[in-house]
């Protein structure tokens, strides 16, 4: 199993900087996600690890080995392309055999290995078909099998589910986790779909405009985002501009347009000008009396959307739009709504988010 | 009250005419009557001007004097060792020429698609120039260059070779090789364009995936790239193979008699009473078809377009410094070699008669031949004739080509695939076959009607109509491809939006479609024009009266004239090349990078 370390990786295409000083360590056997909006540089980063691009500066390490100057054919970091890149002139079996042939594996071992991986991806029935006789999901599994067959040092997946329909995507998600964990490879998975990342990843790195914003487990990113961008990108949230008016021990009081909010400090030094993030599902609509939570705001309901298992309410609080999700659904909303939430659920972020890495 | 009238605020006179019913979507529902009519008209055109001539040739080759089927003539061919030799030589020339162009173009295609180096765009463009400069014209110059005491001999002796004072008989010793070299240097652009197109169409991920799995560059090229290039390999090889198999101009100029096209041409005067030339043409047609089918079975199996179409454009690898120059060098070498024959034509055209003998360059120069070409009784009218014929032929080709493209891209008429194939047929049918087809139509009319034959059907009296039609039919594929590409790049919605606003079919065609695909039509038309101007087979065979000679026939007659004939012919050739280069540059300016799309099959 291979640990991958990126050391101040920068990649420029002409005058466009696609990636800026990325530092990252991916643990052996980890299922690691690169997540970000399109154009953030995540696919470029994956291709750098695969050796399909050369970094402009910085080094890439596989365990204790510097692989930066190694061509893609010598890295054994095998990629599943977004378009699958199955060779149309070869059958499924021949596609899978290619990498084994290149590695000069004896024929009898090849056959055993091919059968093994095709069984793993549940494609043994269709081994003699040509790629264009397969559906999108089947092609995706063949691409996966082709990569798995050669026992890669690490497996690189580039938006593997983007060409599939919603139902198949859902099935394949857990399938990929099963396969990667069974085989025990270090896997790097690129996606722009935060639900895909949250549901499958061991850890996630979030990229924006070629800069690494935050790395953490799905729970860490959800509960403890370090920037407004991450808070907004993972799940949904209310972002309110604010100013710190008092700091007493762990409690921080922030004056926002919607009212005064008390938050639990995360120990980091904060400037006075901040942004407050409160998730809609962590606010509770209080009908009468109090739920006994630290913070309490009151506003006028202006929109309501029924989501099935919940309702989403938009409140206007002192001219600020605040979104609240209520599960189970509430339909009879009074003309004046009070919400309460805990200090632990308020995340105070510096307004200018400091990206990770060197500055 | 019908709903349409109550909704409408426009007076009835301004309502869109209801008879133009716009089919809702392309390829859905019933074919529009206009499309059906167009298709029928096009089928009629192809039947009369393409199928009928071919059938005529085949019939003339197989019909005995009393009209019954006979294999006697074909048998005669295979009993005559000279004719059999001709077929063997034609096959040899074709196979070797194809192999040479393939070997030349594969590295060039890879370099130009996969790498960026200084001058790549310009050099790739220049490499296409020889396509429209017929070897026929270049061969005039080559004959002088390769003369016993010509410049090549002088260069070789200057380098220390002892010719014993007798000179070197290049043409005598290496005539066969000369033909192959000249044809390869003429035909390689067809191969190159097809290889480049198929290379550029390969999804870069296909090769990256192989590299990523650990394959070496050579393995990737052999196992992935080459197999995926198969459609382009097939198209390039077939076109070059058939073209060189039936090439008449080059061996004729090299005075090489033992090859079928020249043997057919030599028997031209006998066509009125001897079916043998027809039988020979039929044998060529069959042989071409067999070559085509062999190529198809070896290389022709294409792939699902969806799986090979490039999802992302590959970024070519940048080569700078000496690597860049090294990459550009083969392009320069091929270009220089390809224009060398034509350069020698220019030299011939400016040298005083006899001044390019026993010297590397002409010893004294003159521009008199250019003036001579403009006053010569054979040369001057031929320029006018060619421009006229080519213009009318271009007009016909563009009209028919546009019709075909509309049916192929925009209609759901049954049998449009067949129409597409028919429009491409002239690429696979040797020019010689079509020319003989028109000839045999003329002959059979004259046989049946005698002196009552209308003048335009009697090529001895006036070959103009048949010549123009032959030109139009031969170059139709390029116009069709060009127009089809234009229509495919023009979203159907742009036309539907106009129709939706109430525009009729003609208004949409005139105001929306035509302006949008004008660049393609102009480029396709210019190419058709250029090819028609220097067309060889049809011109040599169909133009039989001096008054109607086009440029190529005039050049051929001039080279056979003693005295200043060769020089006037060269000057005429130079005039034609200038005209053509201008035409091609204009076409290139209109189409830019899309130029290559026209030459694909």
């Amino acid at each position: 199993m291979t640990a991958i370390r990126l050391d101040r990786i920068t990649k420029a295409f002409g005058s466009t900087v696609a990636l800026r000083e990325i530092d990252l360590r991916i643990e052996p056997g980890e299922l690691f996600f690169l997540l970000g909006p399109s154009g953030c540089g995540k696919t470029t980063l994956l291709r750098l690890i695969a050796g399909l691009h050369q970094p402009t500066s910085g080094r890439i390490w596989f365990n204790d080995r510097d692989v930066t100057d190694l061509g893609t054919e010598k890295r054994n970091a095998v990629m599943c392309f977004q378009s699958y890149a199955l060779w149309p002139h070869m059958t499924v079996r021949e596609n899978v055999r290619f990498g084994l042939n290149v590695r000069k594996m004896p024929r009898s071992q090849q056959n055993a290995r091919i059968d093994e991986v095709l069984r793993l991806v549940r494609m043994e029935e269709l081994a003699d078909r040509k790629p264009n006789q397969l559906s999108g999901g089947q092609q995706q599994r063949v691409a996966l099998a082709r990569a798995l067959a050669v026992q890669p040092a690490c497996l690189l997946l580039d938006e593997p589910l983007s060409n599939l329909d919603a139902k198949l995507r859902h099935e394949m998600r857990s399938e990929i986790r099963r396969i990667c964990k069974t085989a025990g490879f270090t896997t790097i998975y690129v996606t722009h779909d935060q639900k895909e990342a949250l549901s499958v990843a061991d850890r996630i790195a979030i990229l924006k405009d070629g800069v690494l914003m935050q790395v953490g487990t799905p729970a860490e990113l959800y509960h403890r985002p370090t920037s407004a961008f991450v808070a907004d990108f993972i799940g949904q949230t209310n972002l309110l501009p604010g100013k710190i008016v008092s700091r007493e021990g762990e409690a921080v009081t922030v004056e926002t347009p919607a009212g005064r909010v008390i938050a639990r400090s995360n120990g980091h030094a904060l400037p006075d000008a901040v942004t407050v993030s409160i998730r809609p599902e962590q606010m509770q609509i209080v009908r009468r009396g109090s739920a006994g939570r630290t913070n309490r705001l009151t506003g006028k309901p202006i929109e309501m959307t029924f989501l099935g298992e919940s309702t989403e309410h938009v409140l206007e609080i002192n001219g600020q739009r605040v979104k609240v999700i209520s599960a189970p659904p509430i339909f009879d909303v009074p003309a004046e709504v009070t919400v309460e939430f805990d200090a632990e659920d308020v995340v105070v972020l510096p307004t200018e988010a400091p990206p990770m890495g060197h500055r | 009250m019908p709903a349409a009238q109550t909704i409408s605020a426009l007076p009835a006179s301004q309502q869109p005419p209801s008879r133009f019913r716009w089919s809702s979507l392309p390829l859905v529902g019933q074919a529009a009557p206009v499309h059906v009519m167009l298709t029928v008209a096009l089928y009629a055109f192809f039947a009369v001007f393409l199928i009928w001539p071919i059938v005529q040739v085949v019939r003339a080759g197989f019909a005995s004097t009393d009209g019954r089927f006979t294999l006697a003539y074909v048998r005669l061919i295979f009993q005559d060792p000279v004719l059999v030799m001709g077929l063997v030589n034609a096959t040899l020339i074709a196979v070797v020429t194809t192999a040479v162009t393939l070997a030349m173009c594969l590295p060039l295609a890879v370099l130009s698609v996969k790498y960026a180096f200084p001058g790549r765009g310009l050099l790739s463009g220049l490499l296409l120039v020889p396509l429209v400069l017929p070897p026929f014209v270049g061969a005039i110059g080559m004959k002088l260059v390769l003369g016993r005491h010509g410049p090549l001999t002088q260069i070789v002796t200057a380098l220390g070779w002892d010719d014993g004072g007798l000179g070197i008989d290049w043409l005598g010793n290496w005539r066969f090789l000369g033909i192959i070299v000249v044809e390869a240097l003429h035909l390689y652009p067809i191969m190159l364009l097809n290889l480049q197109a198929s290379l550029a169409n390969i999804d870069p991920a296909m090769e990256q995936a192989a590299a990523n799995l650990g394959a070496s560059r050579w393995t990737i090229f052999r196992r992935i790239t080459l197999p995926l290039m198969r459609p382009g390999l097939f198209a390039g090889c077939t076109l070059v193979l058939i073209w060189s198999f039936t090439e008449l101009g080059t061996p004729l100029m090299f005075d090489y008699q033992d090859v079928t096209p020249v043997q057919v041409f030599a028997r031209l005067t006998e066509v009125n009473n001897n079916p043998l030339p027809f039988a020979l043409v039929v044998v060529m047609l069959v042989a071409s078809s067999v070559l085509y089918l062999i190529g198809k079975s070896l290389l022709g199996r294409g792939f699902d377009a969806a799986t090979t179409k490039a999802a992302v454009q590959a970024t070519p690898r940048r080569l700078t410094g000496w690597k860049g120059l090294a990459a550009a060098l083969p392009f320069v070498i091929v270009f220089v070699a390809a224009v060398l024959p034509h350069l020698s034509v220019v030299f011939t055209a400016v040298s005083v008669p006899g001044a390019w003998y026993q010297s590397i360059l002409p010893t004294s120069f003159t521009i008199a031949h250019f003036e001579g070409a403009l006053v010569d009784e054979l040369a001057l009218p031929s320029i006018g004739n060619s421009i006229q014929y080519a213009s009318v032929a271009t007009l016909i080709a563009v009209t028919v080509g546009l019709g075909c493209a509309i049916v192929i891209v925009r209609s759901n008429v049954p049998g449009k695939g067949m129409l597409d194939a028919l429009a491409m047929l002239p690429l696979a049918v040797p020019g010689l076959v079509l020319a003989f087809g028109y000839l045999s139509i003329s002959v059979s009319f004259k046989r049946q009607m005698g002196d009552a034959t209308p003048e335009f059907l009697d090529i001895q009296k006036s070959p103009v109509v048949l010549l123009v039609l032959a030109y139009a039919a031969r170059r139709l594929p390029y116009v069709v491809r060009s127009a089809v590409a234009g229509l495919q790049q023009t979203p159907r919605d742009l036309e539907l939006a106009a129709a939706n606003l109430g525009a009729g079919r003609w208004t949409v065609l005139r105001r929306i479609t035509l302006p949008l695909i004008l660049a393609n039509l102009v480029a396709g038309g210019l190419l058709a024009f250029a090819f028609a101007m220097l067309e060889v087979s049809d011109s040599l065979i169909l133009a039989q009266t001096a008054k109607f000679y086009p440029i190529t026939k005039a050049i051929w007659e001039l080279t056979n004239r003693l005295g200043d004939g060769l020089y006037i012919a060269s000057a005429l050739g130079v005039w034609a090349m200038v005209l053509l280069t201008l035409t091609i540059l204009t076409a290139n300016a209109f189409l830019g990078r899309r130029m290559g799309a026209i030459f694909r099959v």
Side-chain angles (χ1 to χ4, degrees):
Chain A
M1 284 203 278
T2 311
I4 296 164
R5 191 156 61 81
L6 306 183
D7 183 12
R8 304 186 69 159
I9 291 291
T10 294
K11 174 67 182 174
F13 294 102
S15 58
T16 339
V17 180
L19 290 170
R20 204 182 289 275
E21 309 227 324
I22 305 286
D23 276 332
L24 206 55
R25 189 186 152 81
I26 296 154
E27 303 301 330
E30 195 173 20
L31 180 48
F32 192 89
F33 270 60
L34 296 173
L35 179 66
S38 53
C40 69
K42 53 192 190 299
T43 294
T44 306
L45 190 55
L46 194 73
R47 290 180 152 251
L48 282 167
I49 298 169
L52 294 167
H53 289 325
Q54 275 293 71
T56 309
S57 66
R59 312 302 295 174
I60 300 172
W61 299 79
F62 285 6
N63 291 336
D64 296 330
R65 186 153 166 248
D66 182 345
V67 298
T68 318
D69 300 320
L70 230 49
T72 184
E73 70 277 7
K74 304 215 175 72
R75 279 197 200 182
N76 204 19
V78 179
M79 175 141 154
C80 279
F81 289 74
Q82 187 176 4
S83 61
Y84 309 141
L86 296 177
W87 302 301
H89 59 298
M90 301 182 190
T91 62
V92 167
R93 186 176 287 279
E94 287 164 351
N95 263 282
V96 177
R97 191 186 298 280
F98 185 89
L100 304 175
N101 247 340
V102 166
R103 284 167 173 70
K104 304 205 165 52
M105 184 189 266
R107 191 83 178 178
S108 55
Q109 283 181 40
Q110 281 185 12
N111 290 334
R113 181 77 188 135
I114 293 167
D115 290 340
E116 188 188 335
V117 288
L118 286 181
R119 205 173 314 122
L120 191 65
V121 299
R122 298 177 181 145
M123 281 295 294
E124 64 267 47
E125 310 269 297
L126 304 173
D128 296 314
R129 294 248 184 119
K130 289 274 177 78
N132 53 20
Q133 297 169 306
L134 301 176
S135 73
Q138 292 166 338
Q139 290 185 20
Q140 197 269 325
R141 280 181 282 167
V142 176
L144 198 58
R146 186 174 74 182
L148 291 171
V150 299
Q151 310 264 25
C154 71
L155 180 65
L156 310 172
L157 305 168
D158 186 6
E159 303 247 6
L161 305 182
S162 63
N163 293 344
L164 308 183
D165 65 52
K167 188 169 175 297
L168 199 54
R169 195 156 55 219
H170 206 262
E171 276 175 34
M172 286 306 298
R173 235 188 247 172
S174 35
E175 190 86 328
I176 286 182
R177 183 168 173 95
R178 172 186 71 85
I179 291 168
C180 291
K181 286 294 166 186
T182 316
F185 302 124
T186 308
T187 305
I188 306 177
Y189 189 127
V190 160
T191 184
H192 63 268
D193 181 344
Q194 47 116 352
K195 279 192 182 149
E196 208 166 293
L198 291 176
S199 59
V200 187
D202 288 335
R203 280 195 309 150
I204 301 170
I206 295 186
L207 286 156
K208 182 200 174 198
D209 298 335
V211 176
L212 198 54
M213 299 299 292
Q214 193 173 355
V215 181
T217 64
E220 276 165 10
L221 294 176
Y222 181 81
H223 291 294
R224 290 279 161 251
T226 55
S227 62
F229 174 79
V230 172
D232 199 35
F233 194 75
I234 296 286
Q236 47 175 334
T237 194
N238 294 295
L239 293 171
L240 301 170
K243 211 177 151 204
I244 295 181
V245 288
S246 78
R247 306 168 198 243
E248 293 160 28
E250 287 207 318
V252 177
T253 310
V254 184
E255 186 71 55
T256 77
R260 200 163 270 226
V261 173
I262 298 171
R264 177 79 48 89
S265 161
N266 58 4
H268 292 299
L270 285 166
D272 283 349
V274 293
T275 300
V276 169
S277 162
I278 313 158
R279 299 211 178 265
E281 61 273 23
Q282 283 164 341
M283 290 195 268
Q284 185 186 356
I285 293 182
V286 183
R287 298 254 176 127
R288 58 190 80 75
S290 168
R293 303 196 174 192
T294 322
N295 293 298
R296 186 180 172 95
L297 297 173
T298 301
K300 210 167 77 201
I302 51 175
E303 274 171 36
M304 188 187 95
T305 316
F306 181 39
L307 300 176
E309 74 282 2
S310 61
T311 41
E312 183 188 287
H313 307 266
V314 178
L315 310 181
E316 195 186 288
I317 306 176
N318 293 337
Q320 289 285 313
R321 287 168 64 91
V322 174
K323 209 180 264 183
V324 181
I325 288 178
S326 176
I330 298 176
F331 293 104
D332 52 334
V333 191
E336 188 129 291
V337 176
T338 301
V339 292
E340 287 191 6
F341 47 97
D342 290 327
E344 283 80 7
D345 292 330
V346 180
V347 180
V348 184
L349 303 162
T351 296
E352 284 296 316
M356 294 182 60
H358 309 260
R359 263 297 143 100
Chain B
M1 221 35 185
Q5 286 198 1
T6 49
I7 296 167
S8 168
L10 287 175
S13 60
Q14 291 176 27
Q15 292 270 318
S18 61
R19 64 202 154 88
F20 291 118
R21 191 167 306 153
W22 205 271
S23 61
S24 56
L25 277 170
L27 313 185
V28 172
Q30 273 197 315
V34 180
H35 284 154
V36 175
M37 272 150 53
L38 188 59
T39 312
V40 170
L42 289 169
Y43 266 110
F45 177 88
F46 287 122
V48 175
F49 300 115
L50 200 59
I51 303 297
W52 190 31
I54 296 173
V55 171
Q56 278 292 325
V57 175
V58 174
R59 229 174 52 185
F62 286 121
S64 63
T65 36
D66 52 1
R68 271 188 313 190
F69 176 81
T70 173
L71 283 172
Y73 310 125
V74 176
R75 203 176 301 128
L76 268 182
I77 291 171
F78 287 102
Q79 282 164 357
D80 184 337
V82 176
L83 294 181
V84 172
M85 198 61 205
L87 281 169
V88 171
N89 286 335
T91 313
L92 264 179
I93 288 178
V95 170
V96 179
T97 303
T98 310
V100 170
T101 48
L102 184 61
M104 245 166 81
C105 292
L106 212 47
L108 289 178
V110 172
L111 274 175
S112 65
V113 172
K114 303 245 175 226
Y115 297 90
F117 48 86
R120 176 171 74 143
L122 178 71
L123 287 169
S124 305
L126 282 178
L127 278 190
L128 302 186
V129 171
L131 186 59
V132 293
L133 300 175
F136 179 74
V137 175
I140 310 171
M142 287 302 273
K143 258 166 73 174
L144 270 181
V145 172
L146 299 178
R148 190 173 271 270
H149 294 282
L152 189 62
T153 304
Q154 299 309 316
I155 292 173
V156 172
T157 44
L159 290 174
W161 179 293
D162 182 19
D163 67 347
L166 295 171
I168 304 170
D169 188 6
W170 299 99
L171 280 174
N173 296 333
W174 291 292
R175 194 190 303 271
F176 196 75
L177 200 64
I179 292 171
I180 287 168
V181 169
V182 170
E183 285 193 18
L185 288 176
H186 168 53
L187 295 177
Y188 77 85
I190 298 178
M191 182 74 85
L192 186 61
L193 283 166
N194 276 292
L195 295 188
Q196 281 174 333
S198 61
L199 256 181
N201 259 341
I202 297 175
D203 186 342
M206 293 286 164
E207 288 161 353
Q208 287 169 354
N212 183 242
L213 281 169
S216 67
R217 264 189 219 194
W218 171 239
T219 307
I220 296 172
F221 185 73
R222 200 170 42 86
R223 298 274 322 269
I224 310 292
T225 315
L226 217 48
L228 289 177
M229 282 175 73
R230 226 158 44 192
L233 282 172
F234 165 67
C237 288
T238 329
L239 288 180
V240 172
L241 199 66
I242 291 177
W243 198 317
S244 53
F245 181 61
T246 59
E247 168 75 21
L248 169 63
T250 312
L252 199 60
M253 273 296 179
F254 275 102
D255 220 6
Y256 186 62
Q257 300 293 334
D258 300 333
V259 62
T260 315
V262 178
Q263 291 168 341
V264 171
F265 184 67
R267 286 163 178 76
L268 193 57
T269 46
E270 308 163 18
V271 290
N272 282 328
N273 40 35
N274 185 355
L276 194 70
F278 290 105
L280 256 182
V281 173
V282 170
V283 171
M284 294 210 84
L285 180 62
V286 172
S288 300
S289 312
V290 170
L291 287 177
Y292 177 86
L293 289 176
I294 291 174
K296 182 117 186 149
S297 67
L298 285 180
L299 302 163
R301 283 163 297 147
F303 306 107
D304 202 331
T307 55
T308 51
K309 188 95 180 114
V312 259
Q313 206 67 39
T315 31
R317 200 194 305 203
R318 191 164 293 282
L319 298 175
T320 48
W322 67 268
K323 277 186 178 171
L325 292 180
L329 193 64
F331 288 80
V332 176
I333 292 173
V334 170
F335 176 68
V336 169
V339 294
L340 214 53
H342 299 92
L343 214 58
S344 63
V345 178
V346 177
F347 275 125
T348 316
V350 295
S351 74
V352 173
W356 203 13
Y357 182 73
Q358 300 204 336
S359 63
I360 292 177
L361 287 177
T363 45
S364 57
F365 295 94
T366 174
I367 56 158
H369 305 313
F370 288 101
E371 294 164 31
L374 293 183
V375 296
D376 189 277
E377 80 239 329
L378 209 53
L380 180 63
S382 75
I383 296 180
N385 284 344
S386 268
I387 291 180
Q388 279 176 32
Y389 302 164
S391 305
V392 180
T394 304
L395 206 64
I396 296 174
V398 169
T399 313
V400 175
L402 178 64
C404 287
I406 288 176
V407 171
I408 291 165
V409 182
R410 291 290 196 248
S411 85
N412 52 346
V413 178
K416 63 170 192 154
M418 182 72 181
L419 191 73
D420 197 357
L422 270 178
M424 290 296 113
L425 191 61
L427 283 182
V429 175
L432 213 55
V433 172
L434 267 189
F436 260 76
Y438 288 110
L439 192 62
S440 73
I441 288 174
S442 172
V443 169
S444 73
F445 267 110
K446 267 173 70 180
R447 193 174 293 153
Q448 280 166 26
M449 301 171 73
D451 290 339
T453 316
E455 202 168 272
F456 72 92
L457 283 176
D458 182 347
I459 56 160
Q460 254 119 34
K461 287 195 183 126
S462 165
V464 177
V465 172
L466 289 178
L467 204 49
V468 164
L469 284 169
Y471 286 167
R474 279 295 299 289
R475 301 312 175 198
L476 193 60
Y478 303 116
V479 187
V480 173
R481 271 292 146 260
S482 181
V484 163
L487 279 183
Q488 281 170 341
Q489 285 151 9
T490 308
R492 168 90 168 150
D493 281 354
L494 297 180
E495 294 168 4
L496 291 179
N500 181 248
L501 288 171
R505 216 168 255 286
W506 288 113
T507 315
V508 173
L509 182 66
R510 196 165 46 81
R511 298 281 309 278
I512 311 290
T513 316
L514 280 184
L516 286 172
I517 64 167
L518 191 65
N520 293 66
L521 286 183
V522 169
L526 284 174
L527 277 173
F529 182 80
F531 280 125
M533 285 290 288
L534 283 185
E535 209 285 338
V536 177
S537 314
D538 295 321
S539 310
L540 290 194
I541 289 167
L542 292 177
Q544 300 189 352
T545 320
K547 202 171 87 175
F548 299 110
Y549 280 177
I551 291 178
T552 36
K553 181 89 178 195
I555 289 176
W556 166 242
E557 291 292 329
L558 279 169
T559 49
N560 292 333
R561 190 164 87 186
L562 292 175
D564 64 346
L566 196 60
Y567 301 94
I568 303 281
S570 298
L572 190 54
V574 173
W575 279 121
M577 288 195 286
V578 169
L579 212 63
L580 273 186
T581 310
L582 289 178
T583 319
I584 286 303
L585 288 180
T586 322
N588 206 19
F590 265 100
L591 263 198
R593 282 183 60 86
R594 286 172 289 155
M595 183 94 155
I598 299 174
F599 294 95
R600 287 174 216 159
V601 187

